[in-house]
Amino acid sequence: MRTLTYDRLAELLVDRFEVDAAKIRPGVTFEELEVDSLFLVELLLVIQSEVGVEISEDTATPRDSLERAVELISEQVNAAAGTS
């Protein structure tokens, strides 16, 4: 089981989903990056594979910032590890 860092999320968005790196910053929302809910589900599946923990589709919404999404995913990882 691994944790997801902001830097790793940014890498995934740029490398796997071709999001413009210049637009990525902690406070930017998925909506501002033009990430719709279907895209977000796909991203969560990739993250799930990365961290080795099932990530609920409700974990993040297009209105969440990248920083908030990392927090929400970390909470699920910690809960799965029994450390929350």
Side-chain angles (χ1 to χ4, degrees):
M1 187 175 326
R2 298 176 52 192
T3 59
L4 178 73
T5 64
Y6 166 79
D7 290 338
R8 182 61 184 139
L9 176 58
E11 284 176 13
L12 287 172
L13 288 167
V14 172
D15 296 341
R16 295 193 62 169
F17 295 94
E18 301 177 354
V19 173
D20 182 356
K23 294 181 178 179
I24 294 178
R25 62 185 191 287
V28 72
T29 66
F30 289 107
E31 279 180 336
E32 293 171 317
L33 296 175
E34 299 177 11
V35 172
D36 64 16
S37 58
L38 183 59
F39 182 114
L40 192 54
V41 168
E42 187 176 347
L43 175 62
L44 290 174
L45 289 173
V46 170
I47 292 169
Q48 181 174 304
S49 174
E50 285 267 326
V51 299
V53 171
E54 186 172 340
I55 304 295
S56 167
E57 292 179 10
D58 299 330
T59 300
T61 71
R63 292 178 303 281
D64 287 322
S65 68
L66 300 188
E67 191 171 52
R68 180 65 182 144
V70 169
E71 290 173 5
L72 293 168
I73 292 164
S74 293
E75 288 171 7
Q76 288 204 0
V77 170
N78 290 338
T83 59
S84 61

